Amino acid sequence: MQLYNTLSAEERAIIIDDAGKQRLTLSFYAYAQISNPTQFRNELFLAWNKLEVLGRIYVANEGINAQLSLPADNFYAFKDSIEVYDFMKGIRLNIAVEHDDHSFLKLTVKVRDKIVADGLEDETFDVTNIGIHLKAREFNDLLEDPNTIVVDMRNHYESEIGHFTSAIKPDVDTFRESLPIIEDQLSAHKQDKKLLMYCTGGIRCEKASAYFKHKGFENVYQLEGGIIEYTRQVKAEGLESKFIGKNFVFDHRLGERITDDIVSQCHQCGAPCDVHTNCANEGCHLLFIQCESCKSKMEGCCSDECVSIIHLPEDEQKAVRRGIKNGNKIFKKGKSDVLTFKNNIESHSIFVADEKKSVVVKAPKIKKIFIGKGTHFYPKANIAQFEIQENELKIGDTILIKGITTGEQQLLLSEMFVNENAAQKAIAGDICTFKVPFRIRLSDKLYKVLG
């Protein structure tokens, strides 16, 4: 009985691309009484492995918390697999705003003490006694109420790149830190203010709303489905998005673009930027915000020391990192001493006021026309293949390749193969192949830059 992954991330990525199937990225959670989490975990792994589900799932006596991806064709079979359990019948599945076939590259189902670590040891606390759920329109309306206090229940590195405009953003590394801090800071308003909370997908607010009711707050509200569901409803109903910037997500994308606003800065130079990256030194792997200029200059590293390490032979790099356990230091995300710009401008007080911190810059618009979509990539040869669907492409054109993981990459087209033959022009219906200095994804789109 196989209850573990047998493929590497690289092997899995190639299989996904060769399959050519669109994958959905989604998340869900449910609080419930699970008497045997280990058995539950094993049942899920066996059922989902057959459906090509990949992701990170935590189960505990108190419920399940899941972020995953699966082939779109298997969505209803997956839904059937979870509705076998009574507490997940009719459960809301938060479909990601942006999709990437490589958002997860292995299936991990782990048994934990709790699905959301809260540090609480209080047997009288009832996690099911939750606050009032609000949909997007109701949430927007309550934001305008002068008696509302809106609190971001995420960690500082999440709220830094995107948030609701009037939110209080606790400067914390973990959810468990935020609970006593918020209670202390807002203790004078347990009766006279409406406490309005939000998080990524709703799971932290669910527990937080129950906690604050337990602590005597009388008017407790939460954003149903979190930022993910809020964004879906805003688009579907044509509402104004009161959330600006990007929504931090916990897969390799590290963020979904919600609005064009850039509300954060590069941690190394201070330029407007909201792109998280992991330090290229595997022995460090610190996650921080880095602009393209600093990424090029620092070779994807957080410090000069890490730059020097990545140039060592691989066996020496392994020797340097042997025995080092970074653990949660990686998730200090931007508080490392090596990020001098970041640490020189912030005191990291309990609450960081939105008005003092936001640097709102509209992302520059590039005039372009759509040409086609990615159909294949060759990872070792750095060759990209696109199907031309509209317009035409010629040698000498400046092209833009755009995707969730790829970002926006511009280059000058100096040579190409059209339907496997060297050619000067490609038109709709052609398969066009050319060299690129990076690996494309099947979800990438090809554009021609105008002007």
Side-chain angles (χ1 to χ4, degrees):
M1 184 167 62
Q2 180 190 326
L3 293 172
Y4 55 88
N5 293 277
T6 58
L7 298 174
S8 69
E10 184 178 60
E11 290 171 326
R12 180 71 69 179
I14 292 173
I15 289 174
I16 288 172
D17 287 324
D18 287 345
K21 296 180 181 178
Q22 180 192 0
R23 295 182 68 87
L24 298 177
T25 299
L26 58 88
S27 62
F28 66 91
Y29 70 89
Y31 286 100
Q33 295 299 320
I34 299 176
S35 59
N36 190 335
T38 299
Q39 179 182 335
F40 180 54
R41 177 265 174 198
N42 293 345
E43 291 172 1
L44 292 180
F45 193 100
L46 290 171
W48 292 353
N49 195 41
K50 296 176 184 176
L51 298 176
E52 301 176 63
V53 173
L54 303 173
R56 185 186 306 111
I57 299 92
Y58 299 128
V59 299
N61 289 117
E62 69 174 7
I64 180 172
N65 179 18
Q67 296 89 38
L68 52 87
S69 78
L70 74 160
D73 294 347
N74 293 347
F75 176 76
Y76 290 104
F78 170 79
K79 201 166 182 290
D80 290 342
S81 77
I82 61 177
E83 293 194 345
V84 167
Y85 304 93
D86 288 341
F87 71 91
M88 288 195 284
K89 286 182 177 177
I91 193 171
R92 182 187 60 252
L93 302 175
N94 288 326
I95 308 296
V97 176
E98 299 174 336
H99 293 290
D100 183 344
D101 292 340
H102 296 170
S103 57
F104 293 100
L105 293 174
K106 63 179 178 179
L107 175 59
T108 303
V109 188
K110 292 185 177 181
V111 176
R112 291 284 178 87
D113 291 334
K114 296 185 179 182
I115 56 174
V116 176
D118 53 29
L120 301 176
E121 299 294 340
D122 184 349
E123 294 182 0
T124 67
F125 172 48
D126 180 5
V127 72
T128 65
N129 183 24
I130 60 174
I132 298 171
H133 283 203
L134 297 176
K135 297 190 180 299
R137 188 182 298 274
E138 299 168 318
F139 191 86
N140 279 359
D141 290 343
L142 204 54
L143 284 174
E144 302 302 317
D145 188 333
N147 288 317
T148 293
I149 298 175
V150 58
V151 180
D152 193 322
M153 293 306 303
R154 303 172 302 157
N155 304 324
H156 73 90
Y157 53 85
E158 299 172 79
S159 60
E160 184 175 17
I161 61 171
H163 47 255
F164 282 94
T165 52
S166 56
I168 290 173
K169 304 184 292 295
D171 188 29
V172 296
D173 295 328
T174 63
F175 173 74
R176 70 173 68 195
E177 290 177 62
S178 66
L179 296 177
I181 289 173
I182 294 169
E183 181 193 358
D184 179 64
Q185 294 289 313
L186 302 181
S187 59
H189 301 294
K190 290 185 177 182
Q191 285 79 39
D192 67 326
K193 297 289 185 181
K194 298 181 179 73
L195 179 58
L196 181 58
M197 295 175 292
Y198 68 91
C199 59
T200 306
I203 187 170
R204 283 175 281 186
C205 289
E206 192 94 351
K207 179 171 281 191
S209 69
Y211 173 81
F212 290 120
K213 287 185 68 176
H214 180 65
K215 289 296 183 177
F217 286 81
E218 295 182 359
N219 305 297
V220 181
Y221 302 83
Q222 67 183 94
L223 179 58
E224 182 181 11
I227 300 162
I228 297 172
E229 177 63 12
Y230 174 86
T231 303
R232 188 195 68 77
Q233 291 179 19
V234 163
K235 290 181 177 180
E237 299 176 29
L239 305 176
E240 177 188 0
S241 177
K242 301 288 187 178
F243 185 96
I244 59 173
K246 292 172 75 174
N247 180 28
F248 187 95
V249 294
F250 291 89
D251 56 57
H252 87 282
R253 296 171 299 159
L254 301 176
E256 293 182 324
R257 173 68 60 193
I258 306 301
T259 71
D260 289 336
D261 304 287
I262 299 176
V263 299
S264 52
Q265 296 166 286
C266 173
H267 288 170
Q268 292 177 314
C269 74
C273 181
D274 57 10
V275 179
H276 276 104
T277 187
N278 282 105
C279 179
N281 173 17
E282 291 294 332
C284 172
H285 214 55
L286 180 78
L287 197 149
F288 63 103
I289 296 175
Q290 187 179 49
C291 69
E292 282 298 320
S293 176
C294 288
K295 182 177 182 179
S296 176
K297 177 183 175 183
M298 299 297 295
E299 300 182 62
C301 292
C302 68
S303 65
D304 290 333
E305 180 182 0
C306 285
V307 172
S308 65
I309 290 174
I310 67 171
H311 287 287
L312 295 174
E314 183 59 31
D315 58 341
E316 292 185 34
Q317 290 188 47
K318 290 180 179 179
V320 169
R321 62 178 180 258
R322 189 173 295 124
I324 295 177
K325 297 187 181 298
N326 286 317
N328 285 336
K329 287 192 294 184
I330 289 172
F331 298 98
K332 293 296 182 181
K333 294 186 173 71
K335 290 189 176 182
S336 170
D337 292 338
V338 302
L339 302 172
T340 53
F341 178 84
K342 166 80 172 177
N343 289 292
N344 282 343
I345 64 170
E346 291 183 11
S347 62
H348 292 299
S349 56
I350 296 301
F351 288 131
V352 180
D354 183 71
E355 292 77 14
K356 295 180 181 178
K357 201 180 161 193
S358 293
V359 179
V360 180
V361 178
K362 293 291 183 181
K365 299 291 185 182
I366 298 174
K367 291 183 178 180
K368 60 187 184 296
I369 57 172
F370 177 74
I371 298 294
K373 66 176 184 177
T375 58
H376 196 59
F377 73 92
Y378 306 85
K380 296 188 181 300
N382 289 334
I383 301 294
Q385 187 179 90
F386 286 86
E387 177 188 352
I388 308 302
Q389 296 181 315
E390 297 178 19
N391 302 301
E392 65 178 28
L393 197 62
K394 302 191 300 294
I395 296 296
D397 285 340
T398 297
I399 60 175
L400 172 71
I401 298 174
K402 183 177 180 180
I404 305 304
T405 302
T406 305
E408 296 190 6
Q409 304 284 350
Q410 284 193 53
L411 59 144
L412 182 68
L413 192 61
S414 57
E415 61 176 331
M416 64 178 173
F417 285 79
V418 177
N419 303 326
E420 300 184 358
N421 297 309
Q424 295 291 311
K425 185 172 77 170
I427 60 175
D430 287 340
I431 299 297
C432 182
T433 307
F434 48 85
K435 291 184 178 180
V436 291
F438 50 85
R439 191 175 82 171
I440 74 159
R441 309 288 184 178
L442 292 185
S443 56
D444 286 353
K445 301 293 189 296
L446 176 65
Y447 298 87
K448 180 164 68 174
V449 177
L450 303 176

